[in-house]
Amino acid sequence: MSSPHLCSYADRADKHKNPAARALLQLMVKKKTNLSVSVDVTRKNDFLAIIDAVGPYVCLIKKTHIDVLEDYDQTVVEELQALSKKHEFLIFEDRKFADIGNTVALQYSGGIYKIANWAHITNAHAVPGPSIVTGLASVGLPLERGLILLAEMSSKGALTTGTYTEEAVRMARARRDFVIGFIAQHRMEGIGARETDDLTDEDFLILSPGVGLDAKGDAMGQQYRTPAVVVTECGCDVIIVGRGIFGTGRDIDVKEVQKQAQRYQTAGWEAYESRLSK
Amino acid sequence: MSSPHLCSYADRADKHKNPAARALLQLMVKKKTNLSVSVDVTRKNDFLAIIDAVGPYVCLIKKTHIDVLEDYDQTVVEELQALSKKHEFLIFEDRKFADIGNTVALQYSGGIYKIANWAHITNAHAVPGPSIVTGLASVGLPLERGLILLAEMSSKGALTTGTYTEEAVRMARARRDFVIGFIAQHRMEGIGARETDDLTDEDFLILSPGVGLDAKGDAMGQQYRTPAVVVTECGCDVIIVGRGIFGTGRDIDVKEVQKQAQRYQTAGWEAYESRLSK
């Protein structure tokens, strides 16, 4: 087989066995977008206004942990779900689970957020070892959810390198029913593979943060790359963009935010088409 | 200098420059306890009942992320703070921050939990690189808080090994004003040290989970060791115990929970005294 990123999103949707991955790929084809907007703001009104503005242009809304919302209440989730239906995008709670199996199962299913009830996709660090996937899968699989593992991080000095990344991919490979891909900066198929591994139809979605058309980096070590680099050259599937689209996020200018979202949508999709035509 | 774990907690309190570390060491001496109870329950009433029961026997109450409480409200934090004063223990929010600097600064200071306002100590994974410490320190240092890094995890197949652990210790060493120690299973002084590093008065508190007097492990990969192994042999400073003390945690038998807490307090303290007399 050819590497999955050289197949169309549509073909990959047909083959994928995880319902959340399939739904995401189908949305991407239907809306012609591989853009995910990362909505890292602290006020509920800003949060919902940004999502309503960018909704038509995205396949996925990523929230960098809902616990940064100062005025969170149950209506946030209800309104987020309504927007998800209105604009047809999936919800990705960027929880970055990072604890042992028993604990993450509680954090995922319970508490006041009950993330598993409304987030189609969530993510986790590989650092605690396989029990984190087992714990999350016990909650998420019956709800047809998908999990993303952090195989790489784009911040300076991140420890997600070498054997760390290999072990993360091995953990994913062992649970392909639930782990649908990675937060990473390039393809992960075959990484850390052993001779006895069955790699048939291995298709991990690569979601890549740190994407920007303008900015070069911030004061706290975040680094940026363009959609062409991320999608065409590195083969990533979903570009994650934040402040490049909505600026400070406070009292947004809807038209301007939509203009930026459309700009990233176009750049991301052209990069994908360019990859397919290679 | 001798290794810090061969000095008394009292001597170490006198020398430590971080206010949270100093306060913790002073409490340990005053109450003759190196026991931290990890209160991983999902109902507020159970949470507060356990803490009130074990309060006299502990130096530190560790909450495995407050977001597992189903009926969390603002009174939880108020009552937790009142118990902290009544029984004289510090509060350790086991948040396991694991994101880039800008994000963790928001998660630590804001949202509905405002962890920095009430948790004397919190913790973070080293995986995002040094920006996570920078981000948390920008919030925590002005409030005289301390940070624990996860240098090791006790779950099976954890990726906190080799260079990962070395890099985590280097990150801590670079910010000894704020990083006061590690979640780990043995001493970390000198690990990953470069020739040019100033190791004078390096004193990291080692908080060790996975401690049990009875149980051997659970179904999701958690492993247990005794206080004698953890404190005397491996030189750890604080033992972290959970269900070994409060069982399921539902509608606790206060006397039984206190008996178990006292049993762990005694075992932990004897292990410490035995270490000093070596």
Side-chain angles (χ1 to χ4, degrees):
Chain A
M1 62 170 271
S2 62
S3 180
H5 74 288
L6 300 178
C7 303
S8 70
Y9 293 144
D11 286 348
R12 294 165 68 185
D14 289 344
K15 281 187 195 164
H16 218 292
K17 291 195 171 59
N18 177 281
R22 208 161 50 233
L24 178 62
L25 286 160
Q26 285 165 349
L27 276 179
M28 290 164 72
V29 175
K30 184 174 177 189
K31 293 175 71 178
K32 289 188 191 300
T33 178
N34 52 23
L35 173 63
S36 170
V37 173
S38 175
V39 190
D40 303 341
V41 295
T42 57
R43 297 190 310 187
K44 171 184 162 182
N45 286 347
D46 295 329
F47 178 69
L48 296 169
I50 292 168
I51 294 171
D52 200 21
V54 303
Y57 310 100
V58 304
C59 55
L60 193 65
I61 286 290
K62 164 175 164 293
K63 178 74 203 86
T64 295
H65 205 8
I66 198 152
D67 76 356
V68 304
L69 286 181
E70 285 164 15
D71 47 0
Y72 171 87
D73 59 43
Q74 186 54 33
T75 65
V76 172
V77 166
E78 289 161 12
E79 293 184 46
L80 179 58
Q81 288 180 305
L83 290 172
S84 159
K85 288 199 180 104
K86 174 183 171 189
H87 294 300
E88 293 189 275
F89 59 77
L90 297 192
I91 302 167
F92 172 24
E93 166 61 15
D94 182 19
R95 173 61 179 80
K96 294 190 174 68
F97 288 105
D99 215 314
I100 59 174
N102 281 325
T103 300
V104 295
L106 282 176
Q107 292 176 329
Y108 189 26
S109 63
I112 59 171
Y113 294 129
K114 297 182 176 43
I115 294 168
N117 283 3
W118 49 267
H120 305 93
I121 295 171
T122 187
N123 63 356
H125 282 289
V127 60
S131 79
I132 191 168
V133 178
T134 312
L136 292 171
S138 71
V139 173
L141 262 187
L143 297 170
E144 307 203 328
R145 303 311 187 196
L147 181 69
I148 298 287
L149 283 182
L150 285 106
E152 293 182 332
M153 293 188 81
S154 56
S155 47
K156 278 186 193 167
L159 307 188
T160 47
T161 58
T163 54
Y164 184 102
T165 302
E166 288 175 17
E167 287 296 333
V169 180
R170 285 187 191 124
M171 282 169 55
R173 188 170 292 127
R175 289 304 303 262
R176 277 166 53 195
D177 55 339
F178 185 54
V179 184
I180 63 174
F182 300 97
I183 299 290
Q185 308 198 7
H186 54 81
R187 301 299 310 170
M188 290 288 151
E189 281 79 18
I191 286 187
R194 300 184 180 93
E195 278 186 22
T196 51
D197 288 338
D198 176 9
L199 305 183
T200 315
D201 289 338
E202 178 163 296
D203 181 359
F204 293 121
L205 294 168
I206 306 296
L207 282 59
S208 201
V211 176
L213 285 166
D214 311 303
K216 295 289 184 194
D218 72 19
M220 287 202 189
Q222 185 67 16
Q223 298 162 332
Y224 294 101
R225 302 185 304 163
T226 65
V229 170
V230 169
V231 176
T232 316
E233 287 180 32
C234 300
C236 303
D237 298 308
V238 173
I239 57 172
I240 302 175
V241 185
R243 298 190 178 275
I245 286 176
F246 56 78
T248 66
R250 293 226 142 184
D251 308 317
I252 58 162
D253 174 341
V254 171
K255 285 215 158 46
E256 178 58 27
V257 169
Q258 291 184 321
K259 190 177 131 192
Q260 291 301 326
Q262 196 164 24
R263 183 170 164 241
Y264 275 93
Q265 177 194 6
T266 304
W269 198 255
E270 284 176 358
Y272 159 68
E273 290 187 324
S274 162
R275 172 170 104 189
L276 282 189
S277 68
K278 266 188 171 176
Chain B
M1 64 169 273
S2 61
S3 180
H5 73 288
L6 301 178
C7 304
S8 69
Y9 294 143
D11 285 348
R12 294 165 68 185
D14 289 343
K15 281 187 196 163
H16 217 293
K17 293 195 171 57
N18 177 280
R22 207 161 51 233
L24 179 61
L25 286 160
Q26 285 165 349
L27 275 179
M28 291 164 72
V29 174
K30 184 175 178 188
K31 293 175 72 178
K32 287 188 191 299
T33 179
N34 52 22
L35 173 64
S36 170
V37 173
S38 174
V39 190
D40 303 343
V41 295
T42 56
R43 297 189 310 186
K44 171 185 161 182
N45 286 348
D46 294 329
F47 178 68
L48 295 170
I50 291 169
I51 294 171
D52 199 20
V54 304
Y57 310 100
V58 303
C59 56
L60 193 65
I61 286 290
K62 164 176 165 291
K63 178 75 204 86
T64 295
H65 205 7
I66 199 152
D67 76 357
V68 305
L69 286 180
E70 285 164 12
D71 47 1
Y72 172 86
D73 58 43
Q74 186 54 33
T75 65
V76 173
V77 166
E78 288 161 12
E79 295 184 45
L80 178 58
Q81 288 180 306
L83 289 172
S84 160
K85 287 199 181 104
K86 174 182 170 190
H87 294 301
E88 294 190 275
F89 59 76
L90 296 191
I91 302 167
F92 171 24
E93 166 62 15
D94 182 19
R95 173 61 179 79
K96 294 190 175 69
F97 288 106
D99 215 315
I100 59 174
N102 280 325
T103 301
V104 295
L106 281 176
Q107 293 176 329
Y108 188 27
S109 63
I112 58 171
Y113 294 129
K114 297 181 176 44
I115 294 169
N117 283 4
W118 50 266
H120 305 93
I121 296 171
T122 187
N123 61 357
H125 282 289
V127 61
S131 80
I132 191 168
V133 178
T134 312
L136 293 170
S138 70
V139 173
L141 263 188
L143 297 170
E144 306 203 327
R145 303 310 187 197
L147 181 68
I148 298 287
L149 284 182
L150 285 105
E152 294 182 331
M153 293 188 82
S154 57
S155 46
K156 277 185 193 168
L159 307 188
T160 46
T161 58
T163 54
Y164 184 101
T165 302
E166 287 174 17
E167 287 297 334
V169 180
R170 284 187 192 124
M171 282 170 54
R173 188 170 290 128
R175 288 304 302 262
R176 277 165 54 195
D177 55 338
F178 186 54
V179 184
I180 63 174
F182 300 98
I183 300 290
Q185 306 197 7
H186 55 79
R187 301 298 312 168
M188 291 287 152
E189 282 79 19
I191 286 188
R194 300 184 179 93
E195 278 185 23
T196 51
D197 289 337
D198 176 10
L199 305 182
T200 315
D201 290 338
E202 179 163 296
D203 181 359
F204 294 121
L205 295 168
I206 306 296
L207 282 59
S208 200
V211 175
L213 285 167
D214 311 303
K216 296 289 183 193
D218 72 20
M220 287 202 189
Q222 184 67 15
Q223 298 162 332
Y224 295 101
R225 302 185 305 162
T226 64
V229 169
V230 170
V231 177
T232 316
E233 288 179 32
C234 299
C236 303
D237 298 309
V238 173
I239 58 172
I240 302 174
V241 185
R243 298 191 178 273
I245 286 177
F246 55 78
T248 67
R250 292 225 143 184
D251 308 317
I252 58 162
D253 175 340
V254 171
K255 283 214 160 42
E256 178 59 27
V257 168
Q258 290 185 321
K259 189 177 130 192
Q260 291 300 327
Q262 196 164 23
R263 183 170 163 240
Y264 275 94
Q265 177 193 6
T266 303
W269 198 255
E270 283 176 359
Y272 160 67
E273 289 188 324
S274 162
R275 173 169 104 190
L276 282 190
S277 67
K278 266 188 172 176

